[in-house]
Amino acid sequence: MQITFALIDSIAEQFSRFSPLIGIGIGALYYKHLTAVFQVLFYLLIYGFINDMVAGLLPDRNLVWPINNIYLLFETMAMGFIMISTEKRVLFKRIIRILVISIVLLWCATSIYDPGVYLLHFNRLVIPIRSAVLSVVAGIMIYDLSGREDYLFKDPTFWVLIGFFIYLFCNMIVLLSISLKLVQHLNIIPKIWFIHNIFSLSSNLIYAYAFFLTRKGKYYASR
């Protein structure tokens, strides 16, 4: 069998699509040790997996974007809840809350103003903004936690933030790249989505590791 990029891309897509099951399985195994923050992440992974499965089964691809955009809304709120609940600096906590509420309101405004453009199709306004803003927030929180070197890599919250940053930053780069006319002209969008699948797989494996660390019931960042 000849190994082609299309074959590798298909394998990466399938691994990425089913990779949340690893975190879901480990999260279910140690569910009694999960705080509210990790329970939200647990159910977000379940929702995301079901969303991807439904999207993959829909015969009409025009139906995919509406359910993906609705998932985007809940994903944003879930990530915001996790970041706000984890952050201990009062001022930065308020900033995160304002940013998340602003993104949610922007999603609602664009979906109501022109659902044909922003709800029923790829939301070119909200998705890049959400990814850029929350990736910066995750980066700042990771930098703050990095000063606690004695237990940094044992902290499940640290790994969740790493997963968020990888997912959001990659998502932002991919979406911006796809919007470039040069990329469209060179016909390398499939390669960009391959990169997206690799980073999505990586973030899901990181979430799984974070759930594994919760088995000891230690959440250093929550102190």
Side-chain angles (χ1 to χ4, degrees), residues 83-207:
M83 291 176 174
I84 292 169
S85 300
T86 301
E87 179 57 47
K88 296 306 172 185
R89 293 167 293 185
V90 177
L91 178 59
F92 194 50
K93 183 191 290 282
R94 291 175 179 172
I95 292 174
I96 299 173
R97 183 177 290 111
I98 292 172
L99 291 173
V100 172
I101 292 175
S102 298
I103 294 170
V104 170
L105 291 177
L106 180 62
W107 185 97
C108 294
T110 54
S111 298
I112 294 172
Y113 173 73
D114 196 341
V117 173
Y118 296 107
L119 180 61
L120 303 181
H121 293 88
F122 170 64
N123 196 320
R124 295 182 178 274
L125 180 62
V126 176
I127 296 178
I129 291 176
R130 187 287 301 259
S131 298
V133 170
L134 294 188
S135 64
V136 170
V137 171
I140 293 174
M141 294 180 68
I142 291 169
Y143 177 78
D144 177 59
L145 287 177
S146 64
R148 310 172 188 181
E149 298 179 359
D150 52 338
Y151 50 74
L152 181 64
F153 297 111
K154 299 178 182 179
D155 187 350
T157 306
F158 168 77
W159 289 107
V160 170
L161 292 173
I162 289 289
F164 281 177
F165 180 80
I166 291 175
Y167 171 74
L168 292 165
F169 185 77
C170 173
N171 192 261
M172 176 184 66
I173 297 300
V174 167
L175 295 175
L176 291 177
S177 299
I178 290 177
S179 65
L180 295 176
K181 292 184 177 180
L182 177 60
V183 170
Q184 298 174 1
H185 177 71
L186 294 175
N187 195 29
I188 60 175
I189 290 180
K191 294 182 175 61
I192 293 176
W193 278 115
F194 170 75
I195 296 173
H196 177 272
N197 288 330
I198 294 299
F199 278 95
S200 179
L201 171 62
S202 300
S203 61
N204 284 325
L205 292 177
I206 290 173
Y207 300 148

